[in-house]
Amino acid sequence: MTTSSNGQRPMTVGVLALQGDFREHREMLERMGHTVREIRKPAQLDALDALIIPGGESTTIARLILSNGFQQPLRDFCASGRPVWGTCAGAILLAGQVDNLDRPGIETMNIQVRRNAFGRQVDSFEADLNVEGLSGPPFRAVFIRAPLIERVFPPARAICVLEDGTIVAARQGNLLATSFHPELTGDSRLHELFLTIGAPAVVTP
Ligand code: GLN
C-alpha cells in the first residue's frame, strides 16, 4: 500500500478555494503525499476525507460562502465528523461568535474570536509555540493580521496559548482552529495532526 511521507494513509483533502492562501496548503499536503482538491462548488465536498478553510480575508470568504451556496453544506461537513481546520480567516469563519464580521460564516465552533486583534499588517509576527498533541521542538508559527481566540466554551478547548496566555489554537472534536498560518513554514506536523482528528465512523450492527 502507498503511504504518505510520514506513513499516514494517503487521504483526499479539500482546500476551500474561494479566496486566500489555498495554494500553500495544497503544496504542503501534496508534499506529504496526500491528494488535494481545490473546492469551488459544494458538490465537490462529498469526495473528501478532510477539509481546510484557509487564511485570507474573512469578510470576502464569508460573502463567497453565502453567494455560492456553501453555508449549509459546510455546516453539514463539520457535523459529519471528518476533520475540518480553519487557519486564520478560516478560524474566524468557524467561530460561533466573531466581532466585526458583517455576515455569518460557518459558525460551528464554540469559540469567540476577535479579528485583527494583534494590530495592523506591519504588526505581523512569528512565535515558537507548544501545541497540545505535537511532539518534538516548538512549532514556529506565522501570524498575519491574525485573529485571537478570546474565549472557548466546552466542548471546544484551547490547545495552544502564547506566553501571555492568549489562545491561538482550539479544538472541538473533529474541528480545529488556529490563528496562525502553519502552511507557510516547512513544518508539516500540524497538518499531520489535523488529519488524525476525525471522529471514528459509526458502525451500524
Ligand atoms: N485579518 C484577516 C481577516 O480578518 C485574516 C488574516 C489572515 O487570514 N491572514 O479576515
Side-chain angles (χ1 to χ4, degrees), residues 21 54-59 87-90 92 101 115-116 143-147 179 181:
D21 76 332
E57 227 299 307
S58 54
T59 53
T87 60
C88 202
I92 295 168
L101 189 68
R115 294 182 63 210
N116 302 328
F143 293 80
I144 305 168
R145 291 197 81 207
S179 300
H181 284 266

Side-chain angles (χ1 to χ4, degrees), residues 99-174:
D99 72 325
N100 259 324
L101 189 68
D102 59 356
R103 66 204 85 208
I106 305 164
E107 299 178 329
T108 47
M109 279 188 86
N110 287 8
I111 58 176
Q112 182 182 339
V113 164
R114 177 147 46 99
R115 294 182 63 210
N116 302 328
F118 296 100
R120 296 170 301 132
Q121 193 76 31
V122 287
D123 300 321
S124 296
F125 63 99
E126 298 188 15
D128 287 321
L129 304 176
N130 291 311
V131 184
E132 184 189 304
L134 282 196
S135 51
F139 190 89
R140 186 86 184 153
V142 183
F143 293 80
I144 305 168
R145 291 197 81 207
L148 67 76
I149 301 171
E150 285 183 302
R151 296 180 69 184
V152 296
F153 306 92
R157 68 176 206 285
I159 60 163
C160 181
V161 295
L162 299 180
E163 274 177 7
D164 66 1
T166 304
I167 303 169
V168 292
R171 164 127 186 239
Q172 178 179 326
N174 60 311

Side-chain angles (χ1 to χ4, degrees), residues 13 20 27 40 62-63 67 71 74 77 85 95 105 112-113 137 143 147 160 167 174 181 193 200:
V13 185
E27 285 162 14
R40 297 193 174 81
R63 178 169 55 75
S67 63
Q71 191 188 53
L74 287 171
F77 195 97
W85 182 11
Q112 182 182 339
V113 164
F143 293 80
C160 181
I167 303 169
N174 60 311
H181 284 266
L193 176 71

